[in-house]
Amino acid sequence: MKRSFAALALAVTAAVHAGPMGFNGSTMAMGDFSPNWKEAWVNRAVTPRDAFGAGGLQMRSDDKRLTRNLSELTYTRLVHRINGEHSQANFWFVGGAGQLTGNDFGGSKTMLAPGVSADYETTRFYASASARLYRAQGINHDFVSARTGFSFYEVDYDETQPWLIVEARRMRGLSEKMEITPMLRLIHNRYFVEFGVNNMKQGRFNFMYIF
Amino acid sequence: MKTSIKLTTIKSIAASACIIWATANFNTVFAATSVQATVNGMVCAFCAQGIEKSLMKMPATKAVFVDLKKKIVAVEAKDGQTLDGKQISAEIKDAGYDVVKLETVALSVDDIKAAMKTKK
């Protein structure tokens, strides 16, 4: 039970790490896939600082006995940006609300998931941290994660840039394990892909594409 | 006979000079003009793409070039049209970045791109 909710929260939060919205007027599609959860969502930036989105998520517990489905509407806000001479730092708010169903309870539950995140990046270095509350009736799973990484070399923006990213994430009260996933990230001007294997030997693939 | 050859030679030289002069003036009149901005906070491909897309929507824009490492955004004007530096600055700022320097240069985007490549 606890593991399944951990999977839920991890999946919903994953997109935050990827950069939660694109430039004004753009539509961003994101996906996060691994054996225990499969997620896809899309959002539309209606201003340079605001985006609305919708997503779907399927997940299961590590022992494969419990499954969960979440349909969620999201609102993303770029609260503050600091532009440095060779860097950028962002502070984000992400709010989500949706219906959660599972194979161990009837009907559905309304889940609310407000969160904040911050990131700092240069053309060669990346770091981020996020925290998000996951609350529904009888459910309380707060989540934190951190990511850092570097690019192997600089490229022109229309060339593919490889990065090594390491992510650590944990959900209070659900698992004593800290999940750590090293991933290779490839960024091109309209998309990025990430793939890696976590410390539980599970493969993971993420993507993001901007229309 | 010699006088005739000399005259022909002089005429050829004069014609060549006229062509060179005309070409030079044509290039001067129709030289490419670009606005080059130095931008803070522009560190990723997605940043560059957003800026490029918004600047390409401007009616006077012919081409846009972004260099992340040198923090440069260059916008080339269409022939016979003038770029509005203030509007370019506003578009970049609206996209979430800071313009710290703005200058007009008599170069095309391709020229600027080539110069940046040479500097690397």
Side-chain angles (χ1 to χ4, degrees), chain A residues 48 81 83-85 87-88 154 156-157 189-190 208, chain B residues 40-41 46 49-50 52 69 71 94 96-97 117 120:
Chain A
R81 170 172 288 172
N83 291 313
E85 190 175 351
S87 65
Q88 180 189 110
E154 285 185 317
D156 289 335
Y157 92 94
N189 58 1
R190 280 187 171 273
M208 185 169 76
Chain B
N40 277 359
F46 296 139
Q49 197 194 15
E52 184 182 39
K69 193 175 179 182
K71 312 185 301 170
D94 192 46
Y97 307 92
K117 294 263 184 193
K120 283 178 181 174

mmCIF file with all atom_site columns, all heavy atoms in Angstrom, chain A residues 48 81 83-85 87-88 154 156-157 189-190 208, chain B residues 40-41 46 49-50 52 69 71 94 96-97 117 120:
data_model
loop_
_atom_site.group_PDB
_atom_site.id
_atom_site.type_symbol
_atom_site.label_atom_id
_atom_site.label_alt_id
_atom_site.label_comp_id
_atom_site.label_asym_id
_atom_site.label_entity_id
_atom_site.label_seq_id
_atom_site.pdbx_PDB_ins_code
_atom_site.Cartn_x
_atom_site.Cartn_y
_atom_site.Cartn_z
_atom_site.occupancy
_atom_site.B_iso_or_equiv
_atom_site.pdbx_formal_charge
_atom_site.auth_seq_id
_atom_site.auth_comp_id
_atom_site.auth_asym_id
_atom_site.auth_atom_id
_atom_site.pdbx_PDB_model_num
ATOM 1   N N   . PRO A 1 48  ? 4.172  33.723 -20.068 1.00 0.00 ? 48  PRO A N   1
ATOM 2   C CA  . PRO A 1 48  ? 5.535  33.259 -19.798 1.00 0.00 ? 48  PRO A CA  1
ATOM 3   C C   . PRO A 1 48  ? 5.688  32.610 -18.422 1.00 0.00 ? 48  PRO A C   1
ATOM 4   O O   . PRO A 1 48  ? 6.683  31.953 -18.151 1.00 0.00 ? 48  PRO A O   1
ATOM 5   C CB  . PRO A 1 48  ? 6.373  34.546 -19.877 1.00 0.00 ? 48  PRO A CB  1
ATOM 6   C CG  . PRO A 1 48  ? 5.580  35.466 -20.730 1.00 0.00 ? 48  PRO A CG  1
ATOM 7   C CD  . PRO A 1 48  ? 4.147  35.162 -20.411 1.00 0.00 ? 48  PRO A CD  1
ATOM 8   N N   . ARG A 1 81  ? 12.280 34.248 -11.085 1.00 0.00 ? 81  ARG A N   1
ATOM 9   C CA  . ARG A 1 81  ? 13.472 33.825 -11.832 1.00 0.00 ? 81  ARG A CA  1
ATOM 10  C C   . ARG A 1 81  ? 14.596 34.798 -11.566 1.00 0.00 ? 81  ARG A C   1
ATOM 11  O O   . ARG A 1 81  ? 14.396 36.012 -11.531 1.00 0.00 ? 81  ARG A O   1
ATOM 12  C CB  . ARG A 1 81  ? 13.178 33.775 -13.339 1.00 0.00 ? 81  ARG A CB  1
ATOM 13  C CG  . ARG A 1 81  ? 14.446 33.574 -14.185 1.00 0.00 ? 81  ARG A CG  1
ATOM 14  C CD  . ARG A 1 81  ? 14.128 33.342 -15.639 1.00 0.00 ? 81  ARG A CD  1
ATOM 15  N NE  . ARG A 1 81  ? 13.561 32.009 -15.820 1.00 0.00 ? 81  ARG A NE  1
ATOM 16  C CZ  . ARG A 1 81  ? 13.051 31.582 -16.972 1.00 0.00 ? 81  ARG A CZ  1
ATOM 17  N NH1 . ARG A 1 81  ? 13.025 32.383 -18.025 1.00 0.00 ? 81  ARG A NH1 1
ATOM 18  N NH2 . ARG A 1 81  ? 12.570 30.363 -17.074 1.00 0.00 ? 81  ARG A NH2 1
ATOM 19  N N   . ASN A 1 83  ? 18.160 35.784 -13.221 1.00 0.00 ? 83  ASN A N   1
ATOM 20  C CA  . ASN A 1 83  ? 19.058 35.612 -14.350 1.00 0.00 ? 83  ASN A CA  1
ATOM 21  C C   . ASN A 1 83  ? 20.460 36.077 -13.989 1.00 0.00 ? 83  ASN A C   1
ATOM 22  O O   . ASN A 1 83  ? 20.672 37.258 -13.707 1.00 0.00 ? 83  ASN A O   1
ATOM 23  C CB  . ASN A 1 83  ? 18.556 36.407 -15.559 1.00 0.00 ? 83  ASN A CB  1
ATOM 24  C CG  . ASN A 1 83  ? 17.287 35.838 -16.139 1.00 0.00 ? 83  ASN A CG  1
ATOM 25  O OD1 . ASN A 1 83  ? 17.189 34.626 -16.344 1.00 0.00 ? 83  ASN A OD1 1
ATOM 26  N ND2 . ASN A 1 83  ? 16.309 36.683 -16.402 1.00 0.00 ? 83  ASN A ND2 1
ATOM 27  N N   . GLY A 1 84  ? 21.388 35.163 -13.961 1.00 0.00 ? 84  GLY A N   1
ATOM 28  C CA  . GLY A 1 84  ? 22.777 35.525 -13.713 1.00 0.00 ? 84  GLY A CA  1
ATOM 29  C C   . GLY A 1 84  ? 23.502 35.714 -15.029 1.00 0.00 ? 84  GLY A C   1
ATOM 30  O O   . GLY A 1 84  ? 22.931 35.494 -16.104 1.00 0.00 ? 84  GLY A O   1
ATOM 31  N N   . GLU A 1 85  ? 24.760 36.146 -14.926 1.00 0.00 ? 85  GLU A N   1
ATOM 32  C CA  . GLU A 1 85  ? 25.522 36.377 -16.154 1.00 0.00 ? 85  GLU A CA  1
ATOM 33  C C   . GLU A 1 85  ? 25.674 35.075 -16.947 1.00 0.00 ? 85  GLU A C   1
ATOM 34  O O   . GLU A 1 85  ? 25.604 35.082 -18.169 1.00 0.00 ? 85  GLU A O   1
ATOM 35  C CB  . GLU A 1 85  ? 26.894 36.958 -15.808 1.00 0.00 ? 85  GLU A CB  1
ATOM 36  C CG  . GLU A 1 85  ? 27.643 37.451 -17.023 1.00 0.00 ? 85  GLU A CG  1
ATOM 37  C CD  . GLU A 1 85  ? 28.950 38.127 -16.648 1.00 0.00 ? 85  GLU A CD  1
ATOM 38  O OE1 . GLU A 1 85  ? 29.172 38.354 -15.447 1.00 0.00 ? 85  GLU A OE1 1
ATOM 39  O OE2 . GLU A 1 85  ? 29.744 38.419 -17.565 1.00 0.00 ? 85  GLU A OE2 1
ATOM 40  N N   . SER A 1 87  ? 24.045 32.029 -15.674 1.00 0.00 ? 87  SER A N   1
ATOM 41  C CA  . SER A 1 87  ? 23.217 31.065 -14.953 1.00 0.00 ? 87  SER A CA  1
ATOM 42  C C   . SER A 1 87  ? 21.758 31.512 -14.916 1.00 0.00 ? 87  SER A C   1
ATOM 43  O O   . SER A 1 87  ? 21.429 32.656 -15.255 1.00 0.00 ? 87  SER A O   1
ATOM 44  C CB  . SER A 1 87  ? 23.733 30.907 -13.522 1.00 0.00 ? 87  SER A CB  1
ATOM 45  O OG  . SER A 1 87  ? 23.576 32.138 -12.822 1.00 0.00 ? 87  SER A OG  1
ATOM 46  N N   . GLN A 1 88  ? 20.938 30.596 -14.470 1.00 0.00 ? 88  GLN A N   1
ATOM 47  C CA  . GLN A 1 88  ? 19.515 30.904 -14.291 1.00 0.00 ? 88  GLN A CA  1
ATOM 48  C C   . GLN A 1 88  ? 19.018 30.119 -13.076 1.00 0.00 ? 88  GLN A C   1
ATOM 49  O O   . GLN A 1 88  ? 19.359 28.951 -12.913 1.00 0.00 ? 88  GLN A O   1
ATOM 50  C CB  . GLN A 1 88  ? 18.742 30.457 -15.540 1.00 0.00 ? 88  GLN A CB  1
ATOM 51  C CG  . GLN A 1 88  ? 17.258 30.722 -15.481 1.00 0.00 ? 88  GLN A CG  1
ATOM 52  C CD  . GLN A 1 88  ? 16.523 30.064 -16.660 1.00 0.00 ? 88  GLN A CD  1
ATOM 53  O OE1 . GLN A 1 88  ? 15.796 29.107 -16.463 1.00 0.00 ? 88  GLN A OE1 1
ATOM 54  N NE2 . GLN A 1 88  ? 16.734 30.568 -17.865 1.00 0.00 ? 88  GLN A NE2 1
ATOM 55  N N   . GLU A 1 154 ? 29.978 21.649 -23.928 1.00 0.00 ? 154 GLU A N   1
ATOM 56  C CA  . GLU A 1 154 ? 29.009 22.626 -24.410 1.00 0.00 ? 154 GLU A CA  1
ATOM 57  C C   . GLU A 1 154 ? 28.766 22.426 -25.897 1.00 0.00 ? 154 GLU A C   1
ATOM 58  O O   . GLU A 1 154 ? 29.667 21.993 -26.622 1.00 0.00 ? 154 GLU A O   1
ATOM 59  C CB  . GLU A 1 154 ? 29.521 24.044 -24.165 1.00 0.00 ? 154 GLU A CB  1
ATOM 60  C CG  . GLU A 1 154 ? 29.412 24.462 -22.710 1.00 0.00 ? 154 GLU A CG  1
ATOM 61  C CD  . GLU A 1 154 ? 29.797 25.911 -22.498 1.00 0.00 ? 154 GLU A CD  1
ATOM 62  O OE1 . GLU A 1 154 ? 30.802 26.332 -23.092 1.00 0.00 ? 154 GLU A OE1 1
ATOM 63  O OE2 . GLU A 1 154 ? 29.117 26.596 -21.725 1.00 0.00 ? 154 GLU A OE2 1
ATOM 64  N N   . ASP A 1 156 ? 26.295 24.051 -29.464 1.00 0.00 ? 156 ASP A N   1
ATOM 65  C CA  . ASP A 1 156 ? 25.355 25.066 -29.933 1.00 0.00 ? 156 ASP A CA  1
ATOM 66  C C   . ASP A 1 156 ? 23.952 24.572 -29.597 1.00 0.00 ? 156 ASP A C   1
ATOM 67  O O   . ASP A 1 156 ? 23.723 23.371 -29.483 1.00 0.00 ? 156 ASP A O   1
ATOM 68  C CB  . ASP A 1 156 ? 25.497 25.267 -31.444 1.00 0.00 ? 156 ASP A CB  1
ATOM 69  C CG  . ASP A 1 156 ? 26.801 25.980 -31.774 1.00 0.00 ? 156 ASP A CG  1
ATOM 70  O OD1 . ASP A 1 156 ? 27.309 26.696 -30.899 1.00 0.00 ? 156 ASP A OD1 1
ATOM 71  O OD2 . ASP A 1 156 ? 27.308 25.795 -32.889 1.00 0.00 ? 156 ASP A OD2 1
ATOM 72  N N   . TYR A 1 157 ? 23.027 25.519 -29.483 1.00 0.00 ? 157 TYR A N   1
ATOM 73  C CA  . TYR A 1 157 ? 21.719 25.109 -28.962 1.00 0.00 ? 157 TYR A CA  1
ATOM 74  C C   . TYR A 1 157 ? 20.967 24.185 -29.911 1.00 0.00 ? 157 TYR A C   1
ATOM 75  O O   . TYR A 1 157 ? 20.041 23.496 -29.498 1.00 0.00 ? 157 TYR A O   1
ATOM 76  C CB  . TYR A 1 157 ? 20.888 26.336 -28.602 1.00 0.00 ? 157 TYR A CB  1
ATOM 77  C CG  . TYR A 1 157 ? 20.006 26.850 -29.687 1.00 0.00 ? 157 TYR A CG  1
ATOM 78  C CD1 . TYR A 1 157 ? 18.677 26.437 -29.775 1.00 0.00 ? 157 TYR A CD1 1
ATOM 79  C CD2 . TYR A 1 157 ? 20.465 27.765 -30.631 1.00 0.00 ? 157 TYR A CD2 1
ATOM 80  C CE1 . TYR A 1 157 ? 17.849 26.912 -30.763 1.00 0.00 ? 157 TYR A CE1 1
ATOM 81  C CE2 . TYR A 1 157 ? 19.651 28.247 -31.611 1.00 0.00 ? 157 TYR A CE2 1
ATOM 82  C CZ  . TYR A 1 157 ? 18.354 27.822 -31.684 1.00 0.00 ? 157 TYR A CZ  1
ATOM 83  O OH  . TYR A 1 157 ? 17.546 28.291 -32.664 1.00 0.00 ? 157 TYR A OH  1
ATOM 84  N N   . ASN A 1 189 ? 17.076 20.789 -29.294 1.00 0.00 ? 189 ASN A N   1
ATOM 85  C CA  . ASN A 1 189 ? 16.355 22.051 -29.102 1.00 0.00 ? 189 ASN A CA  1
ATOM 86  C C   . ASN A 1 189 ? 14.869 21.893 -28.787 1.00 0.00 ? 189 ASN A C   1
ATOM 87  O O   . ASN A 1 189 ? 14.272 22.754 -28.156 1.00 0.00 ? 189 ASN A O   1
ATOM 88  C CB  . ASN A 1 189 ? 16.565 23.007 -30.271 1.00 0.00 ? 189 ASN A CB  1
ATOM 89  C CG  . ASN A 1 189 ? 16.134 22.411 -31.587 1.00 0.00 ? 189 ASN A CG  1
ATOM 90  O OD1 . ASN A 1 189 ? 15.656 21.275 -31.623 1.00 0.00 ? 189 ASN A OD1 1
ATOM 91  N ND2 . ASN A 1 189 ? 16.301 23.145 -32.664 1.00 0.00 ? 189 ASN A ND2 1
ATOM 92  N N   . ARG A 1 190 ? 14.232 20.812 -29.201 1.00 0.00 ? 190 ARG A N   1
ATOM 93  C CA  . ARG A 1 190 ? 12.803 20.648 -28.932 1.00 0.00 ? 190 ARG A CA  1
ATOM 94  C C   . ARG A 1 190 ? 12.495 19.518 -27.952 1.00 0.00 ? 190 ARG A C   1
ATOM 95  O O   . ARG A 1 190 ? 11.344 19.353 -27.566 1.00 0.00 ? 190 ARG A O   1
ATOM 96  C CB  . ARG A 1 190 ? 12.055 20.354 -30.237 1.00 0.00 ? 190 ARG A CB  1
ATOM 97  C CG  . ARG A 1 190 ? 11.781 21.577 -31.062 1.00 0.00 ? 190 ARG A CG  1
ATOM 98  C CD  . ARG A 1 190 ? 10.910 21.243 -32.241 1.00 0.00 ? 190 ARG A CD  1
ATOM 99  N NE  . ARG A 1 190 ? 10.473 22.458 -32.898 1.00 0.00 ? 190 ARG A NE  1
ATOM 100 C CZ  . ARG A 1 190 ? 9.396  23.141 -32.539 1.00 0.00 ? 190 ARG A CZ  1
ATOM 101 N NH1 . ARG A 1 190 ? 8.634  22.712 -31.567 1.00 0.00 ? 190 ARG A NH1 1
ATOM 102 N NH2 . ARG A 1 190 ? 9.066  24.248 -33.177 1.00 0.00 ? 190 ARG A NH2 1
ATOM 103 N N   . MET A 1 208 ? 10.660 14.587 -22.832 1.00 0.00 ? 208 MET A N   1
ATOM 104 C CA  . MET A 1 208 ? 9.919  15.845 -22.864 1.00 0.00 ? 208 MET A CA  1
ATOM 105 C C   . MET A 1 208 ? 10.035 16.404 -24.268 1.00 0.00 ? 208 MET A C   1
ATOM 106 O O   . MET A 1 208 ? 11.102 16.342 -24.872 1.00 0.00 ? 208 MET A O   1
ATOM 107 C CB  . MET A 1 208 ? 10.496 16.831 -21.854 1.00 0.00 ? 208 MET A CB  1
ATOM 108 C CG  . MET A 1 208 ? 9.701  18.105 -21.744 1.00 0.00 ? 208 MET A CG  1
ATOM 109 S SD  . MET A 1 208 ? 10.248 19.072 -20.331 1.00 0.00 ? 208 MET A SD  1
ATOM 110 C CE  . MET A 1 208 ? 11.772 19.731 -20.958 1.00 0.00 ? 208 MET A CE  1
ATOM 111 N N   . ASN B 2 40  ? 21.383 37.823 -20.377 1.00 0.00 ? 40  ASN B N   1
ATOM 112 C CA  . ASN B 2 40  ? 21.674 37.057 -19.156 1.00 0.00 ? 40  ASN B CA  1
ATOM 113 C C   . ASN B 2 40  ? 20.571 36.032 -18.874 1.00 0.00 ? 40  ASN B C   1
ATOM 114 O O   . ASN B 2 40  ? 19.393 36.305 -19.097 1.00 0.00 ? 40  ASN B O   1
ATOM 115 C CB  . ASN B 2 40  ? 21.796 37.988 -17.953 1.00 0.00 ? 40  ASN B CB  1
ATOM 116 C CG  . ASN B 2 40  ? 23.185 38.600 -17.840 1.00 0.00 ? 40  ASN B CG  1
ATOM 117 O OD1 . ASN B 2 40  ? 24.067 38.319 -18.647 1.00 0.00 ? 40  ASN B OD1 1
ATOM 118 N ND2 . ASN B 2 40  ? 23.377 39.440 -16.833 1.00 0.00 ? 40  ASN B ND2 1
ATOM 119 N N   . GLY B 2 41  ? 20.975 34.877 -18.361 1.00 0.00 ? 41  GLY B N   1
ATOM 120 C CA  . GLY B 2 41  ? 20.004 33.858 -17.964 1.00 0.00 ? 41  GLY B CA  1
ATOM 121 C C   . GLY B 2 41  ? 19.663 32.856 -19.043 1.00 0.00 ? 41  GLY B C   1
ATOM 122 O O   . GLY B 2 41  ? 18.911 31.922 -18.813 1.00 0.00 ? 41  GLY B O   1
ATOM 123 N N   . PHE B 2 46  ? 16.062 25.065 -24.489 1.00 0.00 ? 46  PHE B N   1
ATOM 124 C CA  . PHE B 2 46  ? 14.654 25.451 -24.437 1.00 0.00 ? 46  PHE B CA  1
ATOM 125 C C   . PHE B 2 46  ? 14.512 26.975 -24.314 1.00 0.00 ? 46  PHE B C   1
ATOM 126 O O   . PHE B 2 46  ? 13.582 27.565 -24.845 1.00 0.00 ? 46  PHE B O   1
ATOM 127 C CB  . PHE B 2 46  ? 13.939 24.755 -23.274 1.00 0.00 ? 46  PHE B CB  1
ATOM 128 C CG  . PHE B 2 46  ? 13.903 23.260 -23.416 1.00 0.00 ? 46  PHE B CG  1
ATOM 129 C CD1 . PHE B 2 46  ? 14.109 22.443 -22.331 1.00 0.00 ? 46  PHE B CD1 1
ATOM 130 C CD2 . PHE B 2 46  ? 13.680 22.670 -24.637 1.00 0.00 ? 46  PHE B CD2 1
ATOM 131 C CE1 . PHE B 2 46  ? 14.083 21.064 -22.447 1.00 0.00 ? 46  PHE B CE1 1
ATOM 132 C CE2 . PHE B 2 46  ? 13.654 21.288 -24.785 1.00 0.00 ? 46  PHE B CE2 1
ATOM 133 C CZ  . PHE B 2 46  ? 13.859 20.483 -23.693 1.00 0.00 ? 46  PHE B CZ  1
ATOM 134 N N   . GLN B 2 49  ? 15.132 28.375 -27.749 1.00 0.00 ? 49  GLN B N   1
ATOM 135 C CA  . GLN B 2 49  ? 14.037 28.107 -28.662 1.00 0.00 ? 49  GLN B CA  1
ATOM 136 C C   . GLN B 2 49  ? 12.877 29.076 -28.443 1.00 0.00 ? 49  GLN B C   1
ATOM 137 O O   . GLN B 2 49  ? 12.273 29.575 -29.399 1.00 0.00 ? 49  GLN B O   1
ATOM 138 C CB  . GLN B 2 49  ? 13.553 26.672 -28.479 1.00 0.00 ? 49  GLN B CB  1
ATOM 139 C CG  . GLN B 2 49  ? 12.730 26.205 -29.645 1.00 0.00 ? 49  GLN B CG  1
ATOM 140 C CD  . GLN B 2 49  ? 11.982 24.934 -29.323 1.00 0.00 ? 49  GLN B CD  1
ATOM 141 O OE1 . GLN B 2 49  ? 11.856 24.535 -28.175 1.00 0.00 ? 49  GLN B OE1 1
ATOM 142 N NE2 . GLN B 2 49  ? 11.479 24.301 -30.351 1.00 0.00 ? 49  GLN B NE2 1
ATOM 143 N N   . GLY B 2 50  ? 12.582 29.350 -27.173 1.00 0.00 ? 50  GLY B N   1
ATOM 144 C CA  . GLY B 2 50  ? 11.500 30.280 -26.864 1.00 0.00 ? 50  GLY B CA  1
ATOM 145 C C   . GLY B 2 50  ? 11.794 31.681 -27.378 1.00 0.00 ? 50  GLY B C   1
ATOM 146 O O   . GLY B 2 50  ? 10.929 32.347 -27.958 1.00 0.00 ? 50  GLY B O   1
ATOM 147 N N   . GLU B 2 52  ? 13.906 32.508 -29.795 1.00 0.00 ? 52  GLU B N   1
ATOM 148 C CA  . GLU B 2 52  ? 13.927 32.461 -31.263 1.00 0.00 ? 52  GLU B CA  1
ATOM 149 C C   . GLU B 2 52  ? 12.510 32.523 -31.832 1.00 0.00 ? 52  GLU B C   1
ATOM 150 O O   . GLU B 2 52  ? 12.235 33.265 -32.778 1.00 0.00 ? 52  GLU B O   1
ATOM 151 C CB  . GLU B 2 52  ? 14.618 31.175 -31.725 1.00 0.00 ? 52  GLU B CB  1
ATOM 152 C CG  . GLU B 2 52  ? 14.768 31.070 -33.229 1.00 0.00 ? 52  GLU B CG  1
ATOM 153 C CD  . GLU B 2 52  ? 15.402 29.760 -33.645 1.00 0.00 ? 52  GLU B CD  1
ATOM 154 O OE1 . GLU B 2 52  ? 15.090 28.714 -33.045 1.00 0.00 ? 52  GLU B OE1 1
ATOM 155 O OE2 . GLU B 2 52  ? 16.223 29.772 -34.577 1.00 0.00 ? 52  GLU B OE2 1
ATOM 156 N N   . LYS B 2 69  ? 26.674 30.059 -25.345 1.00 0.00 ? 69  LYS B N   1
ATOM 157 C CA  . LYS B 2 69  ? 27.939 30.247 -24.628 1.00 0.00 ? 69  LYS B CA  1
ATOM 158 C C   . LYS B 2 69  ? 28.318 31.722 -24.536 1.00 0.00 ? 69  LYS B C   1
ATOM 159 O O   . LYS B 2 69  ? 28.774 32.199 -23.503 1.00 0.00 ? 69  LYS B O   1
ATOM 160 C CB  . LYS B 2 69  ? 29.049 29.459 -25.321 1.00 0.00 ? 69  LYS B CB  1
ATOM 161 C CG  . LYS B 2 69  ? 30.311 29.336 -24.510 1.00 0.00 ? 69  LYS B CG  1
ATOM 162 C CD  . LYS B 2 69  ? 31.321 28.451 -25.190 1.00 0.00 ? 69  LYS B CD  1
ATOM 163 C CE  . LYS B 2 69  ? 32.600 28.354 -24.381 1.00 0.00 ? 69  LYS B CE  1
ATOM 164 N NZ  . LYS B 2 69  ? 33.613 27.541 -25.057 1.00 0.00 ? 69  LYS B NZ  1
ATOM 165 N N   . LYS B 2 71  ? 26.151 34.146 -24.970 1.00 0.00 ? 71  LYS B N   1
ATOM 166 C CA  . LYS B 2 71  ? 24.953 34.861 -24.499 1.00 0.00 ? 71  LYS B CA  1
ATOM 167 C C   . LYS B 2 71  ? 24.428 35.845 -25.543 1.00 0.00 ? 71  LYS B C   1
ATOM 168 O O   . LYS B 2 71  ? 23.905 36.904 -25.198 1.00 0.00 ? 71  LYS B O   1
ATOM 169 C CB  . LYS B 2 71  ? 25.239 35.613 -23.199 1.00 0.00 ? 71  LYS B CB  1
ATOM 170 C CG  . LYS B 2 71  ? 25.953 34.791 -22.138 1.00 0.00 ? 71  LYS B CG  1
ATOM 171 C CD  . LYS B 2 71  ? 26.091 35.544 -20.848 1.00 0.00 ? 71  LYS B CD  1
ATOM 172 C CE  . LYS B 2 71  ? 26.849 36.832 -21.015 1.00 0.00 ? 71  LYS B CE  1
ATOM 173 N NZ  . LYS B 2 71  ? 26.823 37.707 -19.879 1.00 0.00 ? 71  LYS B NZ  1
ATOM 174 N N   . ASP B 2 94  ? 10.223 39.663 -21.905 1.00 0.00 ? 94  ASP B N   1
ATOM 175 C CA  . ASP B 2 94  ? 8.935  39.002 -21.684 1.00 0.00 ? 94  ASP B CA  1
ATOM 176 C C   . ASP B 2 94  ? 9.100  37.481 -21.639 1.00 0.00 ? 94  ASP B C   1
ATOM 177 O O   . ASP B 2 94  ? 8.348  36.779 -20.956 1.00 0.00 ? 94  ASP B O   1
ATOM 178 C CB  . ASP B 2 94  ? 7.964  39.395 -22.803 1.00 0.00 ? 94  ASP B CB  1
ATOM 179 C CG  . ASP B 2 94  ? 6.542  38.974 -22.483 1.00 0.00 ? 94  ASP B CG  1
ATOM 180 O OD1 . ASP B 2 94  ? 6.101  39.214 -21.347 1.00 0.00 ? 94  ASP B OD1 1
ATOM 181 O OD2 . ASP B 2 94  ? 5.880  38.396 -23.364 1.00 0.00 ? 94  ASP B OD2 1
ATOM 182 N N   . GLY B 2 96  ? 11.464 36.093 -20.250 1.00 0.00 ? 96  GLY B N   1
ATOM 183 C CA  . GLY B 2 96  ? 12.019 35.763 -18.934 1.00 0.00 ? 96  GLY B CA  1
ATOM 184 C C   . GLY B 2 96  ? 13.511 35.993 -18.786 1.00 0.00 ? 96  GLY B C   1
ATOM 185 O O   . GLY B 2 96  ? 14.114 35.532 -17.813 1.00 0.00 ? 96  GLY B O   1
ATOM 186 N N   . TYR B 2 97  ? 14.106 36.737 -19.687 1.00 0.00 ? 97  TYR B N   1
ATOM 187 C CA  . TYR B 2 97  ? 15.567 36.920 -19.654 1.00 0.00 ? 97  TYR B CA  1
ATOM 188 C C   . TYR B 2 97  ? 15.909 38.412 -19.599 1.00 0.00 ? 97  TYR B C   1
ATOM 189 O O   . TYR B 2 97  ? 15.064 39.261 -19.878 1.00 0.00 ? 97  TYR B O   1
ATOM 190 C CB  . TYR B 2 97  ? 16.198 36.249 -20.875 1.00 0.00 ? 97  TYR B CB  1
ATOM 191 C CG  . TYR B 2 97  ? 15.752 34.813 -20.979 1.00 0.00 ? 97  TYR B CG  1
ATOM 192 C CD1 . TYR B 2 97  ? 14.640 34.467 -21.734 1.00 0.00 ? 97  TYR B CD1 1
ATOM 193 C CD2 . TYR B 2 97  ? 16.383 33.816 -20.245 1.00 0.00 ? 97  TYR B CD2 1
ATOM 194 C CE1 . TYR B 2 97  ? 14.177 33.163 -21.776 1.00 0.00 ? 97  TYR B CE1 1
ATOM 195 C CE2 . TYR B 2 97  ? 15.925 32.509 -20.281 1.00 0.00 ? 97  TYR B CE2 1
ATOM 196 C CZ  . TYR B 2 97  ? 14.824 32.194 -21.051 1.00 0.00 ? 97  TYR B CZ  1
ATOM 197 O OH  . TYR B 2 97  ? 14.365 30.902 -21.078 1.00 0.00 ? 97  TYR B OH  1
ATOM 198 N N   . LYS B 2 117 ? 31.688 31.270 -34.529 1.00 0.00 ? 117 LYS B N   1
ATOM 199 C CA  . LYS B 2 117 ? 32.344 29.965 -34.717 1.00 0.00 ? 117 LYS B CA  1
ATOM 200 C C   . LYS B 2 117 ? 33.857 30.138 -34.732 1.00 0.00 ? 117 LYS B C   1
ATOM 201 O O   . LYS B 2 117 ? 34.602 29.332 -34.188 1.00 0.00 ? 117 LYS B O   1
ATOM 202 C CB  . LYS B 2 117 ? 31.896 29.331 -36.034 1.00 0.00 ? 117 LYS B CB  1
ATOM 203 C CG  . LYS B 2 117 ? 30.444 28.952 -36.083 1.00 0.00 ? 117 LYS B CG  1
ATOM 204 C CD  . LYS B 2 117 ? 30.240 27.502 -35.756 1.00 0.00 ? 117 LYS B CD  1
ATOM 205 C CE  . LYS B 2 117 ? 28.767 27.121 -35.918 1.00 0.00 ? 117 LYS B CE  1
ATOM 206 N NZ  . LYS B 2 117 ? 28.481 25.819 -35.327 1.00 0.00 ? 117 LYS B NZ  1
ATOM 207 N N   . LYS B 2 120 ? 35.396 30.540 -31.282 1.00 0.00 ? 120 LYS B N   1
ATOM 208 C CA  . LYS B 2 120 ? 35.371 29.384 -30.370 1.00 0.00 ? 120 LYS B CA  1
ATOM 209 C C   . LYS B 2 120 ? 36.678 28.612 -30.393 1.00 0.00 ? 120 LYS B C   1
ATOM 210 O O   . LYS B 2 120 ? 37.407 28.623 -31.315 1.00 0.00 ? 120 LYS B O   1
ATOM 211 C CB  . LYS B 2 120 ? 34.210 28.464 -30.739 1.00 0.00 ? 120 LYS B CB  1
ATOM 212 C CG  . LYS B 2 120 ? 32.878 29.015 -30.247 1.00 0.00 ? 120 LYS B CG  1
ATOM 213 C CD  . LYS B 2 120 ? 31.715 28.157 -30.646 1.00 0.00 ? 120 LYS B CD  1
ATOM 214 C CE  . LYS B 2 120 ? 30.421 28.796 -30.147 1.00 0.00 ? 120 LYS B CE  1
ATOM 215 N NZ  . LYS B 2 120 ? 29.237 28.114 -30.592 1.00 0.00 ? 120 LYS B NZ  1
#
